[in-house]
Structure formats: C-alpha cells, structure tokens
Amino acid sequence: MENWREISEDIVSSLLEDGSDPEILYEVEHHFVCEDFPKLEQAALAAFKLGYDVEEPAELELEDGNKIWSFDIVVEAELDVDVIMEDVDKLAQLAVECEVEYDGWGTYFQE
C-alpha cells in the first residue's frame, strides 16, 4: 500500500503553494478501479451504504489495450490533510475488503 498520508500532504501543499483558496470546501474525488465489474459494483454499493456519493462506473481502456472498470466517490471537504485522510483511511480499507484498488484522490485548484 502506498503512503496515502504523504501523497495527501504533497497534494494539499502544492495546491496551497499555488494559491488555492484554503477557506472553501473542495470537491474531493476518490478513485477506485478493478478489472472485475461485479467486485467494483460491490465496492460502490458498500460505499453508498456508508453514505458516500458514488458516481456511475465507467469502462476505461488502458494504454496496452486492456480494459478496466472505475468509479469515483465525490466528497466535499476542507483542503486539510487530516480531514481528507479520514475518508482515505475508510475508503482504502473498503477497497481491501471488496478486493478492488483504491487509486487515490484528487481535487481542483480553487481561487
């Protein structure tokens, strides 16, 4: 497992250093992927039952031509590592339990 806290600190620091507004709520997108659609669907349902806003799954084509399924969970959150890590910890554990991959999170610069 990757060090999600370190990655999260880097993302937040970069956004703040670039002048992103620290006082507003951000749409944070948590990404999940899996080659097995039923497992991905199970993870999406489990996240929904936990109260998360789950977006529709999509089939993606990788550079090598293989296909993979993905979905995002969108959460409004402060641009604060501790706040974001609460969801990262829960969602990474959910991914392990459902045998899918938690593929990190992202958000957009906000003025």
Side-chain angles (χ1 to χ4, degrees), residues 5-17:
R5 176 163 285 280
E6 184 178 319
I7 292 168
S8 296
E9 289 170 352
D10 288 345
I11 293 170
V12 170
S13 293
S14 293
L15 284 166
L16 292 174
E17 286 172 11

mmCIF file with all atom_site columns, all heavy atoms in Angstrom, residues 5-17:
data_model
loop_
_atom_site.group_PDB
_atom_site.id
_atom_site.type_symbol
_atom_site.label_atom_id
_atom_site.label_alt_id
_atom_site.label_comp_id
_atom_site.label_asym_id
_atom_site.label_entity_id
_atom_site.label_seq_id
_atom_site.pdbx_PDB_ins_code
_atom_site.Cartn_x
_atom_site.Cartn_y
_atom_site.Cartn_z
_atom_site.occupancy
_atom_site.B_iso_or_equiv
_atom_site.pdbx_formal_charge
_atom_site.auth_seq_id
_atom_site.auth_comp_id
_atom_site.auth_asym_id
_atom_site.auth_atom_id
_atom_site.pdbx_PDB_model_num
ATOM 1   N N   . ARG A 1 5  ? -0.885 9.240  3.323  1.00 0.00 ? 5  ARG A N   1
ATOM 2   C CA  . ARG A 1 5  ? -0.725 10.493 4.063  1.00 0.00 ? 5  ARG A CA  1
ATOM 3   C C   . ARG A 1 5  ? 0.317  11.381 3.385  1.00 0.00 ? 5  ARG A C   1
ATOM 4   O O   . ARG A 1 5  ? 0.099  12.576 3.185  1.00 0.00 ? 5  ARG A O   1
ATOM 5   C CB  . ARG A 1 5  ? -0.351 10.251 5.520  1.00 0.00 ? 5  ARG A CB  1
ATOM 6   C CG  . ARG A 1 5  ? -0.091 11.575 6.261  1.00 0.00 ? 5  ARG A CG  1
ATOM 7   C CD  . ARG A 1 5  ? -0.118 11.442 7.754  1.00 0.00 ? 5  ARG A CD  1
ATOM 8   N NE  . ARG A 1 5  ? -1.436 11.304 8.299  1.00 0.00 ? 5  ARG A NE  1
ATOM 9   C CZ  . ARG A 1 5  ? -2.298 12.323 8.508  1.00 0.00 ? 5  ARG A CZ  1
ATOM 10  N NH1 . ARG A 1 5  ? -1.959 13.545 8.199  1.00 0.00 ? 5  ARG A NH1 1
ATOM 11  N NH2 . ARG A 1 5  ? -3.474 12.116 9.036  1.00 0.00 ? 5  ARG A NH2 1
ATOM 12  N N   . GLU A 1 6  ? 1.447  10.805 3.014  1.00 0.00 ? 6  GLU A N   1
ATOM 13  C CA  . GLU A 1 6  ? 2.497  11.576 2.354  1.00 0.00 ? 6  GLU A CA  1
ATOM 14  C C   . GLU A 1 6  ? 2.008  12.139 1.020  1.00 0.00 ? 6  GLU A C   1
ATOM 15  O O   . GLU A 1 6  ? 2.252  13.308 0.695  1.00 0.00 ? 6  GLU A O   1
ATOM 16  C CB  . GLU A 1 6  ? 3.728  10.694 2.136  1.00 0.00 ? 6  GLU A CB  1
ATOM 17  C CG  . GLU A 1 6  ? 4.904  11.423 1.538  1.00 0.00 ? 6  GLU A CG  1
ATOM 18  C CD  . GLU A 1 6  ? 6.117  10.513 1.383  1.00 0.00 ? 6  GLU A CD  1
ATOM 19  O OE1 . GLU A 1 6  ? 6.384  9.715  2.305  1.00 0.00 ? 6  GLU A OE1 1
ATOM 20  O OE2 . GLU A 1 6  ? 6.770  10.611 0.327  1.00 0.00 ? 6  GLU A OE2 1
ATOM 21  N N   . ILE A 1 7  ? 1.318  11.316 0.255  1.00 0.00 ? 7  ILE A N   1
ATOM 22  C CA  . ILE A 1 7  ? 0.770  11.767 -1.027 1.00 0.00 ? 7  ILE A CA  1
ATOM 23  C C   . ILE A 1 7  ? -0.238 12.887 -0.801 1.00 0.00 ? 7  ILE A C   1
ATOM 24  O O   . ILE A 1 7  ? -0.229 13.906 -1.506 1.00 0.00 ? 7  ILE A O   1
ATOM 25  C CB  . ILE A 1 7  ? 0.125  10.582 -1.782 1.00 0.00 ? 7  ILE A CB  1
ATOM 26  C CG1 . ILE A 1 7  ? 1.210  9.597  -2.211 1.00 0.00 ? 7  ILE A CG1 1
ATOM 27  C CG2 . ILE A 1 7  ? -0.690 11.066 -2.970 1.00 0.00 ? 7  ILE A CG2 1
ATOM 28  C CD1 . ILE A 1 7  ? 0.685  8.264  -2.692 1.00 0.00 ? 7  ILE A CD1 1
ATOM 29  N N   . SER A 1 8  ? -1.092 12.730 0.199  1.00 0.00 ? 8  SER A N   1
ATOM 30  C CA  . SER A 1 8  ? -2.102 13.747 0.507  1.00 0.00 ? 8  SER A CA  1
ATOM 31  C C   . SER A 1 8  ? -1.458 15.053 0.939  1.00 0.00 ? 8  SER A C   1
ATOM 32  O O   . SER A 1 8  ? -1.894 16.135 0.533  1.00 0.00 ? 8  SER A O   1
ATOM 33  C CB  . SER A 1 8  ? -3.054 13.234 1.593  1.00 0.00 ? 8  SER A CB  1
ATOM 34  O OG  . SER A 1 8  ? -3.767 12.108 1.118  1.00 0.00 ? 8  SER A OG  1
ATOM 35  N N   . GLU A 1 9  ? -0.416 14.962 1.755  1.00 0.00 ? 9  GLU A N   1
ATOM 36  C CA  . GLU A 1 9  ? 0.296  16.174 2.180  1.00 0.00 ? 9  GLU A CA  1
ATOM 37  C C   . GLU A 1 9  ? 0.897  16.891 0.979  1.00 0.00 ? 9  GLU A C   1
ATOM 38  O O   . GLU A 1 9  ? 0.839  18.125 0.893  1.00 0.00 ? 9  GLU A O   1
ATOM 39  C CB  . GLU A 1 9  ? 1.376  15.823 3.197  1.00 0.00 ? 9  GLU A CB  1
ATOM 40  C CG  . GLU A 1 9  ? 0.825  15.423 4.543  1.00 0.00 ? 9  GLU A CG  1
ATOM 41  C CD  . GLU A 1 9  ? 1.866  14.851 5.501  1.00 0.00 ? 9  GLU A CD  1
ATOM 42  O OE1 . GLU A 1 9  ? 3.029  14.618 5.080  1.00 0.00 ? 9  GLU A OE1 1
ATOM 43  O OE2 . GLU A 1 9  ? 1.506  14.615 6.669  1.00 0.00 ? 9  GLU A OE2 1
ATOM 44  N N   . ASP A 1 10 ? 1.457  16.144 0.041  1.00 0.00 ? 10 ASP A N   1
ATOM 45  C CA  . ASP A 1 10 ? 2.036  16.744 -1.166 1.00 0.00 ? 10 ASP A CA  1
ATOM 46  C C   . ASP A 1 10 ? 0.977  17.449 -2.008 1.00 0.00 ? 10 ASP A C   1
ATOM 47  O O   . ASP A 1 10 ? 1.200  18.557 -2.505 1.00 0.00 ? 10 ASP A O   1
ATOM 48  C CB  . ASP A 1 10 ? 2.748  15.687 -2.014 1.00 0.00 ? 10 ASP A CB  1
ATOM 49  C CG  . ASP A 1 10 ? 4.043  15.192 -1.401 1.00 0.00 ? 10 ASP A CG  1
ATOM 50  O OD1 . ASP A 1 10 ? 4.563  15.850 -0.470 1.00 0.00 ? 10 ASP A OD1 1
ATOM 51  O OD2 . ASP A 1 10 ? 4.535  14.138 -1.849 1.00 0.00 ? 10 ASP A OD2 1
ATOM 52  N N   . ILE A 1 11 ? -0.177 16.812 -2.191 1.00 0.00 ? 11 ILE A N   1
ATOM 53  C CA  . ILE A 1 11 ? -1.242 17.408 -2.998 1.00 0.00 ? 11 ILE A CA  1
ATOM 54  C C   . ILE A 1 11 ? -1.734 18.705 -2.351 1.00 0.00 ? 11 ILE A C   1
ATOM 55  O O   . ILE A 1 11 ? -1.831 19.744 -3.011 1.00 0.00 ? 11 ILE A O   1
ATOM 56  C CB  . ILE A 1 11 ? -2.419 16.424 -3.180 1.00 0.00 ? 11 ILE A CB  1
ATOM 57  C CG1 . ILE A 1 11 ? -1.990 15.224 -4.039 1.00 0.00 ? 11 ILE A CG1 1
ATOM 58  C CG2 . ILE A 1 11 ? -3.627 17.136 -3.801 1.00 0.00 ? 11 ILE A CG2 1
ATOM 59  C CD1 . ILE A 1 11 ? -3.006 14.097 -4.076 1.00 0.00 ? 11 ILE A CD1 1
ATOM 60  N N   . VAL A 1 12 ? -2.032 18.650 -1.066 1.00 0.00 ? 12 VAL A N   1
ATOM 61  C CA  . VAL A 1 12 ? -2.543 19.823 -0.364 1.00 0.00 ? 12 VAL A CA  1
ATOM 62  C C   . VAL A 1 12 ? -1.498 20.937 -0.375 1.00 0.00 ? 12 VAL A C   1
ATOM 63  O O   . VAL A 1 12 ? -1.817 22.098 -0.676 1.00 0.00 ? 12 VAL A O   1
ATOM 64  C CB  . VAL A 1 12 ? -2.987 19.470 1.072  1.00 0.00 ? 12 VAL A CB  1
ATOM 65  C CG1 . VAL A 1 12 ? -3.280 20.719 1.890  1.00 0.00 ? 12 VAL A CG1 1
ATOM 66  C CG2 . VAL A 1 12 ? -4.208 18.554 1.036  1.00 0.00 ? 12 VAL A CG2 1
ATOM 67  N N   . SER A 1 13 ? -0.261 20.622 -0.075 1.00 0.00 ? 13 SER A N   1
ATOM 68  C CA  . SER A 1 13 ? 0.808  21.630 -0.082 1.00 0.00 ? 13 SER A CA  1
ATOM 69  C C   . SER A 1 13 ? 0.954  22.288 -1.450 1.00 0.00 ? 13 SER A C   1
ATOM 70  O O   . SER A 1 13 ? 1.084  23.512 -1.548 1.00 0.00 ? 13 SER A O   1
ATOM 71  C CB  . SER A 1 13 ? 2.148  21.014 0.317  1.00 0.00 ? 13 SER A CB  1
ATOM 72  O OG  . SER A 1 13 ? 2.121  20.612 1.649  1.00 0.00 ? 13 SER A OG  1
ATOM 73  N N   . SER A 1 14 ? 0.930  21.486 -2.504 1.00 0.00 ? 14 SER A N   1
ATOM 74  C CA  . SER A 1 14 ? 1.066  22.026 -3.856 1.00 0.00 ? 14 SER A CA  1
ATOM 75  C C   . SER A 1 14 ? -0.071 22.981 -4.195 1.00 0.00 ? 14 SER A C   1
ATOM 76  O O   . SER A 1 14 ? 0.155  24.061 -4.763 1.00 0.00 ? 14 SER A O   1
ATOM 77  C CB  . SER A 1 14 ? 1.100  20.899 -4.880 1.00 0.00 ? 14 SER A CB  1
ATOM 78  O OG  . SER A 1 14 ? 2.267  20.133 -4.735 1.00 0.00 ? 14 SER A OG  1
ATOM 79  N N   . LEU A 1 15 ? -1.286 22.594 -3.848 1.00 0.00 ? 15 LEU A N   1
ATOM 80  C CA  . LEU A 1 15 ? -2.431 23.468 -4.136 1.00 0.00 ? 15 LEU A CA  1
ATOM 81  C C   . LEU A 1 15 ? -2.322 24.783 -3.374 1.00 0.00 ? 15 LEU A C   1
ATOM 82  O O   . LEU A 1 15 ? -2.556 25.857 -3.936 1.00 0.00 ? 15 LEU A O   1
ATOM 83  C CB  . LEU A 1 15 ? -3.738 22.759 -3.794 1.00 0.00 ? 15 LEU A CB  1
ATOM 84  C CG  . LEU A 1 15 ? -4.186 21.690 -4.784 1.00 0.00 ? 15 LEU A CG  1
ATOM 85  C CD1 . LEU A 1 15 ? -5.284 20.825 -4.192 1.00 0.00 ? 15 LEU A CD1 1
ATOM 86  C CD2 . LEU A 1 15 ? -4.655 22.331 -6.080 1.00 0.00 ? 15 LEU A CD2 1
ATOM 87  N N   . LEU A 1 16 ? -1.962 24.707 -2.105 1.00 0.00 ? 16 LEU A N   1
ATOM 88  C CA  . LEU A 1 16 ? -1.856 25.918 -1.290 1.00 0.00 ? 16 LEU A CA  1
ATOM 89  C C   . LEU A 1 16 ? -0.704 26.804 -1.766 1.00 0.00 ? 16 LEU A C   1
ATOM 90  O O   . LEU A 1 16 ? -0.848 28.028 -1.819 1.00 0.00 ? 16 LEU A O   1
ATOM 91  C CB  . LEU A 1 16 ? -1.703 25.563 0.180  1.00 0.00 ? 16 LEU A CB  1
ATOM 92  C CG  . LEU A 1 16 ? -2.947 24.921 0.824  1.00 0.00 ? 16 LEU A CG  1
ATOM 93  C CD1 . LEU A 1 16 ? -2.642 24.472 2.238  1.00 0.00 ? 16 LEU A CD1 1
ATOM 94  C CD2 . LEU A 1 16 ? -4.144 25.856 0.777  1.00 0.00 ? 16 LEU A CD2 1
ATOM 95  N N   . GLU A 1 17 ? 0.417  26.194 -2.118 1.00 0.00 ? 17 GLU A N   1
ATOM 96  C CA  . GLU A 1 17 ? 1.561  26.968 -2.622 1.00 0.00 ? 17 GLU A CA  1
ATOM 97  C C   . GLU A 1 17 ? 1.230  27.676 -3.931 1.00 0.00 ? 17 GLU A C   1
ATOM 98  O O   . GLU A 1 17 ? 1.733  28.766 -4.204 1.00 0.00 ? 17 GLU A O   1
ATOM 99  C CB  . GLU A 1 17 ? 2.772  26.056 -2.829 1.00 0.00 ? 17 GLU A CB  1
ATOM 100 C CG  . GLU A 1 17 ? 3.430  25.634 -1.546 1.00 0.00 ? 17 GLU A CG  1
ATOM 101 C CD  . GLU A 1 17 ? 4.510  24.577 -1.747 1.00 0.00 ? 17 GLU A CD  1
ATOM 102 O OE1 . GLU A 1 17 ? 4.904  24.304 -2.906 1.00 0.00 ? 17 GLU A OE1 1
ATOM 103 O OE2 . GLU A 1 17 ? 4.959  24.014 -0.733 1.00 0.00 ? 17 GLU A OE2 1
#
